[in-house]
Amino acid sequence: MKRRLVLKLGLLGGAVGLARPARAAGVHLRGTGDLGLIVERAGGSLGLIDTTARSLLTRIQGLGDLSHASIVYGRSERYGYVFGRDGGLTKVDLLEQRVAKRIVQAGNAIGGAISDDGRLIAVSNYKPGGVRVFDADTLAPVADIPAVGAGGDRSKVVGLVDAPGRRFVFTLYDAGEIWIADLSGEAPRLTKFRDIGALPYDALITGDGRHYIAGLFGEDGLVHLDLWAERPAPRRILDGYGRGETKLPVYKMPHLEGWARAGDRLLLPAVGRHELLALDATRFEEVGRIPVHGQPIFAVARPDGRQAWVNFAHPRNDTVQIVDVPSLEVVHELKPGPAVLHMEFTPRGHEVWVSVRDADRVDVYDTKSFEKRAELALRKPSGIFLTARAHRMGL
Amino acid sequence: MKRRLVLKLGLLGGAVGLARPARAAGVHLRGTGDLGLIVERAGGSLGLIDTTARSLLTRIQGLGDLSHASIVYGRSERYGYVFGRDGGLTKVDLLEQRVAKRIVQAGNAIGGAISDDGRLIAVSNYKPGGVRVFDADTLAPVADIPAVGAGGDRSKVVGLVDAPGRRFVFTLYDAGEIWIADLSGEAPRLTKFRDIGALPYDALITGDGRHYIAGLFGEDGLVHLDLWAERPAPRRILDGYGRGETKLPVYKMPHLEGWARAGDRLLLPAVGRHELLALDATRFEEVGRIPVHGQPIFAVARPDGRQAWVNFAHPRNDTVQIVDVPSLEVVHELKPGPAVLHMEFTPRGHEVWVSVRDADRVDVYDTKSFEKRAELALRKPSGIFLTARAHRMGL
């Protein structure tokens, strides 16, 4: 009898062992399409959010130096990949709410991207200058691409984005070159464009993966590369755009990824001026200017493209303005609080999440009524990244 | 001692009870961004697929009459809402792999949509003609909108889509009217456009939620409604497009939702002709025609818009052609097998899923090399719906 009981208890013990994931399942068995991560730079942590409940689910610690951090998502929307300034590449599990894996892959890094098939993570590094590519499942190294420009020196890499067909596009800051790395075969196949201009400091790719545009710190103007062209060739656009024409001190260079595509127009922050530029999205020529509250940092299009939300550089960074795209007019203004750093729309644009760093708060606004729907306490929040980015190019 | 043991067993029994979800968690604790459902019309069942593993996870039964069925997804990407021809509205749980709830909400239905905030499901009904709106969580009725046109008769409803701001747009087939239902307040607020033309049979909304376009069965041409206009007003576009100019028998009216937006162009199937029409996506004027293999049914743009994949009506429905959008030329042709019914791209376009009904098969192709990556056995598969649709307007 005793023996039988022991056996039974043994079986039940096994069941008890299983019970631990069961409890976890009660918490975490859920869809991942409405989740997101918010960077808490000061503490090296992330806030995990539920955008349906508008709630902070938990805080995930141990991410290292998160200044200028960015995040991409695997195609299942379960895993986020966090690129830290300290060269850290961290895979975060949004369902188990923990760091799944973390490596330090370089001494100083500036961003990353995920391939269109979700298999490869690429990181752009300042030190050593180049791009390193990792397996998205294991973070095992797949390829190392040193950024040695035509002059023979190693260059910092900026403006790294994904492009269709398992490709990455990036820019060599010191060398002034744009490279395309095709990872669809055994070894990376590189295409290099030399002499694109002085000190390209950032770049973007349009949502259709067609147009790659790099900003120049050393010259007035931008560089455009049409990836659909039979023989892509960099050409200068928007001469006069850039640091050189600036009449005002530049408090912060605007993020090029903040360009808003809205219908057949692009809205972009003018460097150092209290203006947005409106461009024709096909010819990349200026079609208008919009006076705004301060030096714009991000101009983010609502997903339908009808309006764009704009935030500003210090010392005018307590304000958000909303621009109506057809009329190119400011139609609304909000004062969320001190240091509005980032804005992220829900995928179909019904709400927007706004980080107000120096109030230790993230606000959620209804985009139709402009009413505030929720306030969440976060610690010095900066970038907001929703999992829906998994399904978009260039994000 | 015996008493103590019983107590222990009781506790352990509790733990055993918990162990059941644990086992389930082993199977189902996963992200939902790379899942999808495939309609198996003949058996009233759905195939649940994993687009990363390119595998069929399971079959979900008991969906009723799935002829002309369509599916939308909640914003967490956990739940699919299946609209059946028999008036059935079924909520499917992709994680628990089962029907979560099913109601029969009308006698004969033709499609549905989900509001931009994910809270409301709308169904367009033939019998009784109108739109019924349900709570997405519970499927409890929220609103009933009988489609009584200006003539006083009840009309079948077609072309139901979501629009930003908790709105739905739909078309009254018999009455020839377009209605907008705004569900953002207590009761639905209706805006009605009368006399749009004879027998509108289907409609679409562009991915930015701006342009609503209805096809006319009784006249040559289409109706366009600009929802961004201060006072939206239907206007006729593409006179000469439609049934009237047809020289060939029409085997199947093309799906308007199959219009491909690619850059600044729209590609759409010509009715009854072996042609695609290319339109300027802003002015909706014809800019070219593309000769193709048969009467086109769907012309689906790859997410980057560079190419479109086209399938055809019986008896030429064993073929798929791929059109290069900049040159408007057919650049590749595939013969997947008998009765190619539907094509769905992965969200960033690296692969495409193709249902080959009469081969009881779904094929997965690489969109760059056109190589076949996988074959899956499904029973008379028709529509393919990936969860990434949750994040898009008008899908």
Side-chain angles (χ1 to χ4, degrees):
Chain A
M1 176 66 182
K2 200 183 168 192
R3 190 187 179 90
R4 237 182 105 195
L5 263 175
V6 168
L7 276 173
K8 266 195 178 168
L9 284 168
L11 284 169
L12 292 166
V16 172
L18 279 177
R20 187 182 297 229
R23 187 177 51 77
V27 181
H28 306 308
L29 185 72
R30 54 161 300 148
T32 49
D34 56 351
L35 299 178
L37 293 168
I38 298 178
V39 173
E40 294 181 318
R41 172 177 166 166
S45 55
L46 300 171
L48 173 62
I49 54 167
D50 173 337
T51 65
T52 299
R54 302 186 197 103
S55 65
L56 178 67
L57 296 175
T58 191
R59 174 168 284 115
I60 298 170
Q61 312 270 5
L63 278 290
D65 179 358
L66 291 183
S67 44
H68 210 281
S70 61
I71 303 174
V72 300
Y73 290 97
R75 57 193 310 280
S76 81
E77 297 183 325
R78 174 174 180 172
Y79 298 104
Y81 299 87
V82 185
F83 307 101
R85 193 59 191 262
D86 56 1
L89 168 59
T90 312
K91 182 177 180 179
V92 174
D93 184 335
L94 273 59
L95 288 175
E96 297 193 357
Q97 304 186 349
R98 62 178 183 87
V99 170
K101 180 129 189 159
R102 175 172 165 81
I103 60 171
V104 176
Q105 55 82 42
N108 190 332
I110 194 63
I114 184 166
S115 61
D116 59 353
D117 62 357
R119 306 245 176 236
L120 300 176
I121 305 292
V123 193
S124 55
N125 292 320
Y126 279 6
K127 197 185 297 175
V131 171
R132 284 186 171 147
V133 183
F134 302 89
D135 181 284
D137 285 337
T138 62
L139 301 192
V142 170
D144 187 7
I145 306 170
V148 179
D153 291 330
R154 203 147 172 162
S155 190
K156 291 177 190 161
V157 171
V158 297
L160 171 69
V161 300
D162 59 283
R166 230 190 204 189
R167 291 179 301 163
F168 297 103
V169 189
F170 51 91
T171 295
L172 281 59
Y173 175 79
D174 309 284
E177 301 184 10
I178 295 172
W179 291 13
I180 302 173
D182 182 334
L183 276 290
S184 62
E186 285 279 305
R189 215 155 43 84
L190 299 175
T191 307
K192 302 176 183 179
F193 302 96
R194 314 281 196 188
D195 300 322
I196 62 158
L199 304 180
Y201 70 96
D202 195 7
L204 69 85
I205 194 165
T206 50
D208 58 7
R210 175 172 183 173
H211 302 288
Y212 184 79
I213 296 167
L216 298 173
F217 199 78
E219 298 179 41
D220 278 355
L222 299 148
V223 179
H224 169 245
L225 190 62
D226 181 353
L227 299 174
W228 286 16
E230 208 173 328
R231 289 183 197 170
R235 70 181 182 105
R236 190 66 66 86
I237 58 169
L238 280 182
D239 281 335
Y241 175 86
R243 213 176 190 294
E245 73 157 348
T246 302
K247 305 266 175 16
L248 298 159
V250 178
Y251 291 106
K252 185 170 161 58
M253 289 299 280
H255 282 273
L256 289 190
E257 60 182 320
W259 286 24
R261 165 122 196 193
D264 52 358
R265 284 174 176 166
L266 280 171
L267 298 187
L268 66 150
V271 178
R273 304 181 74 89
H274 293 200
E275 283 177 349
L276 294 178
L277 305 186
L279 303 194
D280 175 287
T282 311
R283 292 172 295 117
F284 298 98
E285 287 165 12
E286 188 178 323
V287 295
R289 295 200 172 209
I290 307 161
V292 290
H293 172 78
Q295 292 186 9
I297 296 293
F298 283 107
V300 188
R302 203 173 62 186
D304 67 347
R306 175 65 197 265
Q307 295 184 340
W309 288 49
V310 188
N311 70 341
F312 303 97
H314 176 85
R316 302 175 76 85
N317 59 358
D318 66 338
T319 299
V320 168
Q321 286 187 321
I322 292 102
V323 173
D324 177 62
V325 175
S327 66
L328 298 181
E329 277 171 14
V330 173
V331 293
H332 200 78
E333 183 175 296
L334 299 165
K335 299 270 183 195
V340 173
L341 290 201
H342 201 216
M343 301 161 293
E344 175 100 334
F345 287 93
T346 55
R348 289 160 75 198
H350 76 302
E351 291 178 346
V352 62
W353 288 60
V354 178
S355 57
V356 194
R357 187 191 60 201
D358 295 347
D360 290 306
R361 221 178 60 226
V362 169
D363 295 344
V364 184
Y365 289 91
D366 181 300
T367 57
K368 192 180 178 186
S369 67
F370 304 116
E371 280 166 25
K372 195 188 286 187
R373 292 275 179 243
E375 291 185 353
L376 289 84
L378 281 109
R379 301 174 188 153
K380 302 274 171 269
S382 55
I384 304 171
F385 301 87
L386 303 191
T387 53
R389 288 173 173 244
H391 298 332
R392 302 259 168 93
M393 278 176 280
L395 286 180
Chain B
M1 177 65 185
K2 198 183 167 192
R3 191 187 179 89
R4 238 184 105 193
L5 262 176
V6 169
L7 277 172
K8 267 197 177 167
L9 283 169
L11 283 169
L12 292 168
V16 173
L18 279 178
R20 189 182 296 229
R23 189 175 49 78
V27 181
H28 306 309
L29 183 73
R30 55 161 300 149
T32 49
D34 56 351
L35 299 178
L37 293 168
I38 299 178
V39 173
E40 295 181 318
R41 173 177 167 166
S45 55
L46 300 172
L48 173 62
I49 54 167
D50 173 338
T51 64
T52 299
R54 302 186 197 104
S55 65
L56 178 67
L57 296 174
T58 192
R59 174 169 284 115
I60 299 169
Q61 312 270 3
L63 277 290
D65 179 358
L66 291 184
S67 43
H68 211 282
S70 61
I71 303 173
V72 299
Y73 290 97
R75 58 193 307 282
S76 81
E77 297 184 325
R78 174 175 180 172
Y79 298 104
Y81 300 87
V82 186
F83 307 101
R85 194 58 191 261
D86 56 1
L89 168 59
T90 312
K91 181 178 179 178
V92 173
D93 185 334
L94 273 58
L95 288 176
E96 297 194 357
Q97 305 186 348
R98 63 180 182 85
V99 170
K101 180 131 190 157
R102 176 172 164 81
I103 61 171
V104 176
Q105 56 81 41
N108 190 331
I110 195 62
I114 183 165
S115 61
D116 60 351
D117 62 357
R119 308 247 175 234
L120 301 175
I121 305 292
V123 193
S124 55
N125 292 320
Y126 278 6
K127 198 186 297 176
V131 171
R132 283 183 172 150
V133 183
F134 301 89
D135 181 284
D137 284 337
T138 62
L139 301 192
V142 170
D144 187 8
I145 306 169
V148 179
D153 291 329
R154 203 149 172 162
S155 191
K156 290 176 189 163
V157 171
V158 297
L160 171 69
V161 300
D162 58 285
R166 232 192 202 188
R167 291 179 302 164
F168 296 103
V169 189
F170 51 92
T171 295
L172 280 59
Y173 175 80
D174 310 283
E177 300 183 10
I178 295 172
W179 290 14
I180 302 172
D182 182 335
L183 276 289
S184 62
E186 285 280 304
R189 215 155 43 84
L190 299 176
T191 308
K192 302 175 183 181
F193 303 95
R194 314 281 197 189
D195 300 322
I196 63 157
L199 305 180
Y201 71 94
D202 195 7
L204 69 84
I205 194 163
T206 50
D208 58 7
R210 174 173 186 174
H211 303 288
Y212 184 78
I213 295 167
L216 299 173
F217 199 78
E219 297 180 43
D220 278 354
L222 298 149
V223 180
H224 169 244
L225 191 62
D226 181 354
L227 299 173
W228 286 15
E230 207 172 330
R231 289 182 196 171
R235 70 181 181 103
R236 189 68 63 87
I237 57 169
L238 279 184
D239 281 335
Y241 175 85
R243 217 178 187 293
E245 73 158 344
T246 301
K247 305 262 172 23
L248 297 159
V250 178
Y251 291 105
K252 183 169 164 56
M253 290 299 280
H255 283 272
L256 288 191
E257 60 183 318
W259 286 24
R261 165 121 194 195
D264 52 359
R265 285 175 177 167
L266 280 171
L267 298 187
L268 65 150
V271 178
R273 304 180 73 90
H274 293 199
E275 284 176 349
L276 294 178
L277 305 186
L279 303 193
D280 175 288
T282 310
R283 293 171 294 116
F284 298 98
E285 288 165 12
E286 188 179 325
V287 294
R289 294 198 172 210
I290 306 160
V292 290
H293 171 78
Q295 292 186 10
I297 296 295
F298 284 107
V300 187
R302 203 173 63 185
D304 67 347
R306 175 66 196 266
Q307 296 184 337
W309 288 49
V310 188
N311 69 339
F312 302 96
H314 178 84
R316 301 176 76 85
N317 60 359
D318 65 338
T319 299
V320 168
Q321 286 187 320
I322 293 102
V323 172
D324 177 63
V325 174
S327 65
L328 298 181
E329 277 171 15
V330 173
V331 292
H332 201 77
E333 183 175 295
L334 299 164
K335 298 272 182 194
V340 174
L341 290 200
H342 202 216
M343 299 161 295
E344 176 100 334
F345 288 92
T346 55
R348 290 160 75 198
H350 76 301
E351 292 178 345
V352 61
W353 288 60
V354 177
S355 58
V356 193
R357 187 191 59 200
D358 295 346
D360 291 307
R361 223 178 58 226
V362 169
D363 295 344
V364 184
Y365 290 91
D366 181 300
T367 57
K368 190 179 179 189
S369 66
F370 304 116
E371 281 166 23
K372 195 188 285 185
R373 292 275 180 244
E375 292 186 353
L376 289 85
L378 281 108
R379 301 173 188 155
K380 302 274 171 269
S382 54
I384 304 170
F385 301 88
L386 302 191
T387 53
R389 287 173 171 246
H391 299 331
R392 303 259 167 95
M393 278 177 278
L395 285 181

